[in-house]
Amino acid sequence: MIDVMHFEIQIEPARQGCYFTIPFQVRAGIETLRVKYSYARRGSDQILFESGECISQPEINIIDLGLIRPDGGQAGASGSDKTEIYIREADATPGYTPCRIAAGEWRILVGAYKVAPEGVTVWYEVTLEEKSTRLLRGDLHVHTLASDGVHTLEELAWKAKRNGLDFLAITDHNQQVPAERLPRIPGVTMIPGVEWTHFQGHANFVGIDHPYDEPFFTNNIEETRSRFESARRRGALIIINHPFEEICPFQFDYNALPFDCIEVWNGPMRESNLRAIGLWQQLLSAGKKIPISGGSDYHRDTPFIFLGGPSMGVYAESAGTSDILAAIKQGHAFITFAPNGPAVEISAGEAMMGDSVSWNDVKTMNIHANGLVTGDLLRVVTGDSSEVIFKAETDAEVTVNYSMAGLGFARIEILRVFIPGLPPLPALITNPIYFD
């Protein structure tokens, strides 16, 4: 849905040299705010001379443009250079700061730099574009040369764009990257983060650039909990990383620390990931509603490691960091082996993956999968069963229903034979729908 507002103002010569504002209201749920304005900037005088004529176009009006947020802060200013600007959380016109479009009273800043003797009429058009759910793909676990990677932030941003990723979280080991240092590449949301790296386990704190004030190191569970609790208070998405990784398994007590997700898929699919999926399955079967995450843990290209391998597929309301991370925290996401891997949508009534629904009201789950290749298996996993409900006999897109026999959860896996002669491995894993 798009809202459009128009304003027409008359600026008298006496107001030359003054600043004033035009207020307008913005409702909740807006992704993009656009402002366009126009006025007669130049006059027109005919000048005759012996061999012809000249149409003089002197600059008679100069009206500057800016924008003020509901909190009173300056969202940006562009002087008279631009006649159209936009702002959203993911990006903005140069000269304006990307930000979440808050509900409330915004104000157009009018700068009457120069006004013609007869005054000037200025027309403004404000367009508000509503958020809408879309599928975004990204990598939540990436390293730069600030820790043990080989690429700069800019190189990773452009690499993400080339790889077909919509977002990228920078998670260097115990290195906090200020958000303002993250490059702005059109179409790629760069998300600040840090991989809290300890001898007894790793965790990603994603979405903020300063999760705690103290140095990273801790020597007991109380100090460790303080880092996690600080990150939680400041709004980070907290992910327990690669819990069964051979070199650095997560040895802390899960019950002693706040967290949002478990990274069940780290880099290439292997035994440690399969064990992490098994742990998650046990937690789900015990009644826990814990979302999953995945990431490449990318440092450099190798024959089996690449940026976006695996990728998160996130059903977010916008490409802004806050909406991407909110969707991951809500479980509105799946993990697939590559940026161009298969995709799945599941629903039960109004519920989608990550949501809960009353089993008394809704018992059927609708599954839509695309990007299947010949031989792929579509499997439904519940707390007490695992059932293949579709086998792709050719490259395919499929819609199928599944009925829940009772309370519990149901999640989807796509299994694929990546190397002939070897057993199929997960090509995609979704969060469940919970039937309460």
Side-chain angles (χ1 to χ4, degrees), residues 66 70 72 89 93 120 174 178 204 230 244 247 260 265 268 294 297 335 338 408:
E89 186 179 5
T93 300
V120 59
N174 297 323
N204 276 346
S230 174
F244 295 104
I247 298 175
D260 300 299
W265 195 339
D297 205 348
I335 312 171

Side-chain angles (χ1 to χ4, degrees), residues 33-263:
L33 188 161
R34 300 182 186 275
V35 178
K36 180 166 61 175
Y37 77 127
S38 63
Y39 61 95
R41 182 157 186 165
R42 296 184 179 277
S44 180
D45 295 327
Q46 183 183 42
I47 302 174
L48 301 176
F49 53 95
E50 186 175 346
S51 58
E53 67 175 358
C54 170
I55 304 298
S56 174
Q57 296 179 327
E59 197 168 46
I60 58 173
N61 295 299
I62 302 175
I63 307 300
D64 291 347
L65 176 66
L67 198 59
I68 308 299
R69 299 188 303 267
D71 63 5
Q74 179 176 301
S78 50
S80 60
D81 180 63
K82 299 175 176 65
T83 59
E84 184 172 359
I85 61 96
Y86 75 92
I87 295 179
R88 52 179 167 244
E89 186 179 5
D91 58 355
T93 300
Y96 292 77
T97 303
C99 65
R100 189 177 179 89
I101 305 302
E105 183 180 272
W106 289 69
R107 289 178 290 151
I108 299 170
L109 177 62
V110 183
Y113 184 80
K114 185 177 183 179
V115 180
E118 65 274 17
V120 59
T121 302
V122 188
W123 294 270
Y124 291 89
E125 180 180 275
V126 176
T127 303
L128 306 176
E129 299 174 7
E130 192 174 46
K131 293 181 179 182
S132 61
T133 301
R134 78 289 308 264
L135 176 61
L136 302 173
R137 301 197 187 221
D139 196 329
L140 283 179
H141 195 157
V142 175
H143 298 274
T144 76
L145 49 72
S147 57
D148 52 352
V150 299
H151 294 295
T152 65
L153 291 167
E154 291 75 14
E155 288 169 341
L156 282 172
W158 283 108
K159 194 176 186 73
K161 190 173 183 67
R162 290 193 298 271
N163 283 20
L165 297 174
D166 301 299
F167 64 89
L168 200 65
I170 303 300
T171 55
D172 278 316
H173 298 288
N174 297 323
Q175 298 290 330
Q176 301 174 10
V177 180
E180 61 268 18
R181 282 188 51 206
L182 295 175
R184 300 195 183 280
I185 305 298
V188 179
T189 301
M190 298 292 286
I191 302 175
V194 60
E195 183 170 19
W196 182 80
T197 304
H198 191 282
F199 300 126
Q200 293 180 272
H202 298 184
N204 276 346
F205 301 149
V206 180
I208 59 174
D209 57 8
H210 200 66
Y212 41 78
D213 295 326
E214 306 86 350
F216 74 90
F217 66 87
T218 64
N219 286 311
N220 53 58
I221 189 62
E222 289 76 20
E223 291 176 348
T224 298
R225 187 185 301 113
S226 75
R227 304 299 187 273
F228 277 67
E229 289 177 345
S230 174
R232 167 59 59 82
R233 287 193 303 272
R234 298 180 185 191
L237 178 77
I238 302 177
I239 303 169
I240 301 298
N241 286 347
H242 43 65
F244 295 104
E245 180 61 35
E246 293 83 357
I247 298 175
C248 46
F250 198 85
Q251 301 173 55
F252 294 99
D253 180 2
Y254 295 101
N255 297 316
L257 300 170
F259 68 93
D260 300 299
C261 303
I262 296 179
E263 185 186 59

